[in-house]
Amino acid sequence: MDIDIIFKIAAIGIAVALLNQILVKAGREEQAMLTTLAGVIIVLMLIIQMISEFFDTVMAFLQF
């Protein structure tokens, strides 16, 4: 497993947390929630892609 994906997820988390705090302080709670939701969706897409690659590898390994 590449460690790059962990750094990508951490960077997305930090960026979303900063944007969330800035938007909350500015009184834009709705945009802060949407930013958080967008960050979660992006990370889920990365994880789903990794799971898909894992299943492809398992299927290739089990074929004789």
Side-chain angles (χ1 to χ4, degrees):
M1 180 172 120
D2 291 332
I3 197 148
D4 294 337
I5 193 75
I6 295 172
F7 288 134
K8 285 181 186 178
I9 292 172
I12 292 169
I14 291 170
V16 167
L18 287 174
L19 282 172
N20 190 7
Q21 290 298 317
I22 291 169
L23 290 170
V24 167
K25 297 280 183 184
R28 299 184 177 256
E29 286 83 14
E30 295 163 351
Q31 285 87 4
M33 182 189 64
L34 289 176
T35 303
T36 304
L37 183 62
V40 169
I41 290 171
I42 291 171
V43 169
L44 282 175
M45 287 175 32
L46 288 172
I47 292 172
I48 288 171
Q49 184 180 17
M50 286 179 49
I51 291 171
S52 174
E53 291 174 7
F54 171 72
F55 282 127
D56 289 340
T57 304
V58 169
M59 285 177 50
F61 178 73
L62 293 178
Q63 288 180 350
F64 294 111

